[in-house]
Structures are given as C-alpha cells and as structure tokens.
Amino acid sequence: MDAVSISQLAPLPLPESSTGRNPSFLTDVCWVSKDDIVSQQTAPANILVGCVRKEGICHWDIETGQLIGDWSLSSQLPETLHGFRSIAWNEANKVIAVAAGRGICLVDCRQGDRVAGEFHGKGLAINSVACSRDGRYMVTGGQDAGVVIWSFRMPQEMNVGIGHNASVQSVDFNCDSQTFWSSSHDKTARCWRAFS
C-alpha cells in the first residue's frame, strides 16, 4: 500500500464549543507507579496495564486507581530483553506482549510470570508492539526503521516490512487483523498488508 504522509492529513475542525478551551481530566483518579510508565493499554474488566522502565508491569483498577498488581520481571529476563518500551494486550492468549531491548517477552496476565519462549529480533531495539485482534499475530516497529510480523505459534519473524527511512515509533493492527499501521520519525504513517 502507498504511504500516507502525516503532513498531508487534514486536521479535523474543532466544535465551536471547544475552541479556546483547555483539555480536562475525565476523572479525578490518578494511577501512580514507583518508576516511569513508558506504555499503557486498557484490558478487559476495567484494568489499566502499564509497563515501567525498570522491567515491571503494573495493573490498576481503572475506576478507583488502586494498584492491584505490581510484577517485577528483571530477574526473569535474559540480557537481550532489558529496557521495557511498549506493551500490548492479547486477549485471546491471556498474555501481555512486552517489547524490551531487541525482542519480545510474553507475560501471563493472571500470574505475572514470564511465559516460555522469547521472540528475538535481528535488528536494533524494538520501540513498539501491537497484537492482532484475533490473537494470532504481533507486529513490532523498531529503531532500524523496519516493521516485523510475528506469529504467537512460533517465536520467529514471519514477515519484515521495509519502507520507513527512520525509527518506527508506533504500530497498531486494524480490526481485520490483516492490515496494520506504522508511524515513524521520517514523518510518515504507513498502512501495510500483513501478508501479501
């Protein structure tokens, strides 16, 4: 698919009632961690899942802000999987995919234990990870400007996309689980077919 330059996208007009107003918090609840929260995602049952820079995962109750889980994974990780950058919830497999260093580790969302099997990339550090809605695939974007499709069945790269000219900062699957988006420091967003 052709790339769509972010600079070519027209901004949506603001409703008249919001012009000149500052954004406001939707709730008085604040979710607090002992370390920098580098990525977050909502999960079923009103849970907010966040990963912290020092190899930990926190779960908060969205409505109350109460911390209900704080899992440290640093002792469970090999050297190549340090420095958490992004998380993605996989409802179908009941795991959280964590982009760390040059790979991905999977964490059981019920116990906080690392699931056997690691996904090791061939490029530079992975910046972002997303799971397909059907739970079968992951996509990552990395500092090497590439995007990679992974299967949950086997921990290896299935498909590599080259098209960005700078580090890929964000990836996300469409609802069809067959296409996904990436955005990069090269000032472009691209839509990809997962399998051609």
Side-chain angles (χ1 to χ4, degrees), residues 155-177:
Q156 64 185 17
E157 297 177 355
M158 293 180 58
N159 204 348
V160 178
I162 306 296
H164 285 293
N165 296 318
S167 179
V168 175
Q169 295 303 301
S170 180
V171 291
D172 195 18
F173 268 98
N174 283 338
C175 293
D176 65 6
S177 296

Side-chain angles (χ1 to χ4, degrees), residues 3-118:
V4 176
S5 171
I6 291 176
S7 62
Q8 295 172 339
L9 298 175
L12 295 173
L14 293 173
E16 282 188 41
S17 62
S18 67
T19 305
R21 294 178 52 198
N22 290 327
S24 61
F25 294 114
L26 296 177
T27 177
D28 291 332
V29 177
C30 181
W31 302 272
V32 180
S33 170
K34 295 177 278 189
D35 194 13
D36 295 343
I37 300 170
V38 296
S39 180
Q40 83 291 323
Q41 190 168 29
T42 55
N46 275 340
I47 302 295
L48 176 67
V49 180
C51 71
V52 295
R53 192 170 306 281
K54 296 205 165 115
E55 288 85 33
I57 294 178
C58 296
H59 288 145
W60 296 273
D61 182 295
I62 288 177
E63 293 177 6
T64 66
Q66 178 182 358
L67 181 67
I68 54 178
D70 187 357
W71 304 324
S72 175
L73 299 172
S74 57
S75 64
Q76 300 180 37
L77 299 174
E79 190 62 35
T80 55
L81 293 179
H82 283 277
F84 284 9
R85 293 179 173 267
S86 178
I87 61 171
W89 177 264
N90 185 316
E91 173 63 20
N93 295 310
K94 304 291 187 234
V95 296
I96 302 164
V98 180
R102 291 186 9 228
I104 302 165
C105 67
L106 301 178
V107 178
D108 182 309
C109 66
R110 295 161 292 220
Q111 304 297 322
D113 296 325
R114 191 168 64 91
V115 177
E118 296 157 3

Side-chain angles (χ1 to χ4, degrees), residues 141-154:
Q143 292 181 356
D144 59 0
V147 293
V148 178
I149 299 287
W150 308 77
S151 169
F152 269 95
R153 292 189 192 124
M154 43 179 144

